[in-house]
């Protein structure tokens, strides 16, 4: 009877896991990719060192509900593992196990648990981590204490300072975090410019270094596999912008427009958003990271600024389009729009390996300052940062503001160029400009001698935007019942 039950359970498990396999997309990056990433990291580590990575913690939203879990991008980059309560150790040199086997990486994973998996989805467990992710050594996280890692045998220990709630969460009794207790952090980043950790070892005289620079250099240069993922995220996000252009009607709400973008993302199987969607009509566009998206009725005369990025298999786009709600730019809106576009194109002209990031910014800054002066919008030098108050470029990848070095452009970096002009109500200029906010943000792959404009399919010139907005949308016939009508 017992054996029969066991057989039935086993059969159910096999059937279940086969069905689940079939339910998964088959275009995730391969375990060979992640292994290669760990090899590259190992090459960059100093002699006789170990690098330590924690999975992101689970964050509670309220009572029984947690925020949707998202893996720490460094952890994901090195493993493809998407679960919490895990620790990855990457050793520079081979270590010897008690059975004589050699290994240079270990992942401590959250254990399989039938009950937990019934509620919250399947876990890989230590054996899944070995088989499916190709990590050499894997144990359940409950075995970490037994593993008894002696950090004093390494010349350096590299890790990120854990500024988040991992360190101080009193509910977190997982063995993994005992590791932290071996270090006493004096202060986090006392010298912000060098990002040097000041960590005082409690035990032993350990040399503790930050992983920041190594991971910046690794993640800042994308592999071909990553570029394909970003391409997909960008194409999806451009499709969202184009569909919204077709569907846009005065009287829609900011929230509704956000929903159309995000519907398109999901239609193309993007799992997530790379960052909270920004949809700001009129003067809401002047709030750089406006994510309330509250305005119920966008008016006929307004511009709407839409900064959204689909996240596909971990990789995100970052694209902004600004369009006239009624389908036609007013003369003032067009002047500001074309000035921002010119600023972006000036930066694109010098977008190639060797160009310092600061030169891209300078190209946009000079163009915008000159244009705003010619239009009589800025009268004196001190006003100039008011209307273009942000930088113009950053890396994208697993993070929207991705890790990467910020000196010079290099082949296979993927960056944004995103100048903007924002003129809030009551600005010190003619009021015909008030409430105009324009950002144009595109994504670029740096190639051997220039760039590839990844987001070119998102209509971007005045002519292309106005033409796209004339096209019909499948949503024209999508009319929901009025909830207030009996
Ligand atoms: N979406 C945030 C940014 O453009 O940097
Ligand atoms: Mn950006
Ligand atoms: Mn953006």
């Amino acid at each position: 009877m017992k054996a029969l039950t066991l057989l039935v359970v086993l059969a159910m498990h096999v059937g279940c896991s086969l069905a689940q396999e079939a339910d998964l997309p088959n275009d995730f990056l391969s375990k060979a990719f992640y292994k290669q990433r760990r090899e590259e990291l190992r090459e960059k580590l100093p002699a006789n060192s170990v690098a330590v990575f924690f999975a992101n913690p689970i964050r509670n939203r309220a009572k029984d509900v947690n925020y949707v879990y998202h893996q720490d991008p460094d952890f994901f980059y090195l493993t493809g593992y998407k679960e919490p309560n895990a620790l990855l150790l990457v050793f520079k040199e081979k270590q010897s196990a008690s059975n004589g086997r050699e290994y240079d990486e270990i992942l401590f994973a959250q254990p399989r648990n039938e009950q937990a998996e019934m509620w919250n989805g399947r876990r890989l467990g230590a054996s899944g981590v070995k088989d499916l992710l190709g990590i050499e050594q894997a144990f359940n996280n409950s075995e970490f204490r037994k593993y008894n890692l002696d950090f004093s045998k390494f010349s350096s220990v590299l890790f990120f300072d854990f500024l988040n709630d991992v360190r101080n969460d009193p509910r977190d009794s997982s063995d993994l975090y005992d590791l932290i207790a071996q270090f006493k952090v004096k202060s986090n980043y006392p010298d912000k410019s060098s990002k040097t950790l000041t960590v005082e070892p409690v035990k032993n005289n350990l040399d503790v270094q930050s992983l920041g620079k190594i991971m910046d250099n690794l993640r800042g240069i994308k592999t071909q596999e990553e570029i394909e993922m970003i391409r997909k995220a960008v194409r999806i996000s451009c499709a969202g912008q184009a569909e919204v252009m077709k569907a846009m009607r005065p009287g829609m709400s900011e929230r509704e427009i956000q929903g159309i973008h995000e519907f398109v993302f999901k239609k193309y199987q993007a799992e997530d958003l790379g960052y909270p969607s920004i949809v700001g009509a009129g003067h809401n566009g002047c709030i750089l990271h406006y994510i309330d998206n509250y305005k119920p009725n966008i008016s006929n005369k307004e511009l709407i600024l839409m900064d959204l990025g689909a996240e596909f298999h971990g990789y995100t786009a970052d694209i902004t389009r600004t369009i006239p709600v009624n389908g036609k730019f007013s003369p003032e809106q067009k002047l500001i729009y074309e000035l921002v576009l010119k600023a972006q194109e000036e930066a694109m002209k010098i977008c190639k390996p060797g160009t310092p990031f600061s030169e891209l910014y300078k190209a946009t800054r000079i163009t915008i300052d000159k244009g705003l002066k010619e239009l009589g919008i800025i009268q004196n030098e001190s006003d100039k940062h008011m209307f273009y108050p942000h930088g113009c470029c950053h890396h994208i990848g697993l993070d929207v503001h991705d890790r990467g070095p910020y000196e010079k452009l290099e082949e296979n970096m993927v960056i944004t160029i995103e100048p903007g002009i924002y003129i809030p109500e009551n600005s010190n200029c003619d009021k015909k400009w008030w409430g105009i906010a324009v950002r144009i943000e595109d994504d670029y792959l740096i190639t051997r001698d220039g760039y590839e404009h990844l987001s070119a399919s998102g209509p971007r010139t005045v002519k292309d935007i106005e033409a796209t907005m004339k096209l019909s949308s499948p949503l024209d016939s999508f009319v929901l019942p009025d909830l207030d009508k009996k």
Side-chain angles (χ1 to χ4, degrees), residues 275 278 288-289 306-309 317-320 394 400-401 416 418 439 441 443:
Y275 51 93
I278 299 167
L288 300 177
H289 286 172
M306 308 176 295
D307 181 347
L308 302 96
D318 185 8
I319 296 169
T320 310
H394 56 82
V400 62
H401 293 172
T416 66
E418 50 176 303
R439 178 160 67 252
E441 176 171 28
D443 301 337

Side-chain angles (χ1 to χ4, degrees), residues 26 31 41 44 46 53 62 126 131 135 137 148 207 212 249 283 296 308 318 349 390 396 405 422 429:
N26 59 7
K31 60 184 177 187
L41 166 66
K44 289 182 168 17
F53 297 87
D131 298 345
I135 313 263
Q137 277 281 40
N148 195 21
D207 172 29
R249 299 286 173 267
H283 60 91
L308 302 96
D318 185 8
K349 281 184 194 159
H390 56 74
I396 57 167
Y422 314 87
C429 62

